[in-house]
Amino acid sequence: MDNRAVGVFDSGLGGLTAVRELRRILPHEKIVFLGDTLRVPYGTRDPETLRQFAEDDLNFLLSKNVKYIVIACGTVSSNVPEEVLDAVPVPVTGVIAPTVAAAVSATKNGIIGAIATPACIGSGAYQRGIAKADPSIKVTAQACPKLVPLIESFGVSELGSEIDEALEEYLAPIRDSGADTLILGCTHYPLIADRIRKVMDRDVTLIDSGAQAARTAKEALEASGTLASRTGSPRHSFYVTSDPERFTSSSGYFLGETLGKATLTTL
Ligand code: DGL
């Protein structure tokens, strides 16, 4: 048993989709969440900058004495060098491997689509992971630079035709490929799952990358005997690097519940 918190970070508030799943499957775990809202989006940054941001985010969570870290960001998960992860003294899960495993087992026709940020798709991490798991699977990967800024700045009900136009542009090649499974490779995208389904205009299995990482974290904590005790309700902590008021007003949309205020921090 280990009552220290599980740390979760993202470039912005999209990573709260992983927290939502963690809350559902591990209700006794205390969570420390960091959203680097000052520097979002990460998805258009170069690998060297992403390495620095990843180190800042990991070090912040380690300073909060976490027992486990979930990188709830496809962009960081796909770009962080192994040596950075090797230096982290607690176990770390990113979104790529759990998401690849879920997509490979979900597809029936062997055609998978993947959407994510430019840095994530550009890294080739999803494409390589799928090819390694099953070289016969066809993958259509699409970078979606417009989505994170749009999702970060609006509540879903306020998202207008701009997002549908962007989705039509990004999803048309995947629709045409015949994919029966679509990786939401960025943790912001589950928030627009309904719109994605509509534009795909077919029955596709959507793979939520943040939720997959959360499930992997659960398995790892169970396997290592480091789950928290099942008593009391945990007090979570939320940190952002800008605009804590916006967290208060929009975290319900990202989390599906209201869990209190965020504290402003620097990295
Ligand atoms: N949620 C992040 C991801 O999964 C968004 C990255 C960004 O800030 O562009 O990639």
Side-chain angles (χ1 to χ4, degrees), residues 15 83 110 125 151 258:
E83 76 246 27
I151 297 167
T258 310

Side-chain angles (χ1 to χ4, degrees), residues 214-263:
R215 288 168 205 156
T216 295
K218 177 176 191 261
E219 286 165 15
L221 292 169
E222 281 169 351
S224 59
T226 51
L227 286 167
S229 62
R230 301 173 74 83
T231 53
S233 39
R235 285 191 44 185
H236 308 298
S237 305
F238 300 93
Y239 295 90
V240 288
T241 50
S242 73
D243 207 353
E245 297 75 28
R246 195 168 63 81
F247 178 92
T248 309
S249 61
S250 57
S251 62
Y253 152 61
F254 286 91
L255 265 173
E257 62 181 327
T258 310
L259 283 180
K261 293 186 188 319
T263 303

Side-chain angles (χ1 to χ4, degrees), residues 10-11 40-43 73-75 117 148 185-188:
D10 182 31
S11 57
V40 69
Y42 280 15
C73 177
T75 304
T117 66
V148 168
C186 165
T187 53
H188 282 71

Side-chain angles (χ1 to χ4, degrees), residues 17-223:
T17 56
V19 173
R20 187 167 64 188
E21 181 65 1
L22 276 174
R23 291 264 309 133
R24 192 181 73 78
I25 60 179
L26 290 173
H28 301 287
E29 294 297 326
K30 185 161 79 183
I31 295 165
V32 177
F33 175 81
L34 168 67
D36 189 6
T37 50
L38 183 65
R39 303 191 293 196
V40 69
Y42 280 15
T44 43
R45 314 272 184 170
D46 60 78
E48 195 41 51
T49 305
L50 289 171
R51 177 196 175 116
Q52 186 57 55
F53 288 3
E55 287 181 332
D56 295 343
D57 298 333
L58 289 163
N59 286 333
F60 176 83
L61 289 178
L62 289 171
S63 78
K64 301 294 170 196
N65 191 30
V66 296
K67 64 181 170 187
Y68 194 99
I69 294 177
V70 177
I71 303 179
C73 177
T75 304
V76 172
S77 302
S78 56
N79 279 275
V80 64
E82 273 308 314
E83 76 246 27
V84 171
L85 298 181
D86 289 345
V88 178
V90 298
V92 183
T93 295
V95 300
I96 307 293
T99 303
V100 164
V104 167
S105 80
T107 184
K108 295 200 167 51
N109 70 0
I111 309 175
I112 295 176
I115 52 173
T117 66
C120 184
I121 295 298
S123 76
Y126 279 120
Q127 301 91 312
R128 270 197 312 278
I130 293 168
K132 199 168 162 211
D134 184 343
S136 72
I137 291 177
K138 185 177 160 218
V139 187
T140 304
Q142 179 67 48
C144 308
K146 293 178 199 159
L147 297 186
V148 168
L150 283 171
I151 297 167
E152 226 7 74
S153 55
F154 294 97
V156 80
S157 56
E158 301 161 68
L159 287 168
S161 57
E162 215 179 340
I163 199 134
D164 290 324
E165 282 158 27
L167 283 174
E168 177 55 35
E169 175 193 335
Y170 299 143
L171 293 175
I174 294 175
R175 198 171 50 218
D176 294 347
S177 75
D180 69 351
T181 302
L182 176 60
I183 288 176
L184 307 183
C186 165
T187 53
H188 282 71
Y189 300 171
L191 295 157
I192 53 166
D194 288 350
R195 284 163 187 261
I196 290 171
R197 269 188 204 291
K198 208 159 146 218
V199 175
M200 281 301 287
D201 196 24
R202 63 160 71 222
D203 190 19
V204 284
T205 304
L206 300 184
I207 309 291
D208 176 334
S209 52
Q212 294 305 329
R215 288 168 205 156
T216 295
K218 177 176 191 261
E219 286 165 15
L221 292 169
E222 281 169 351

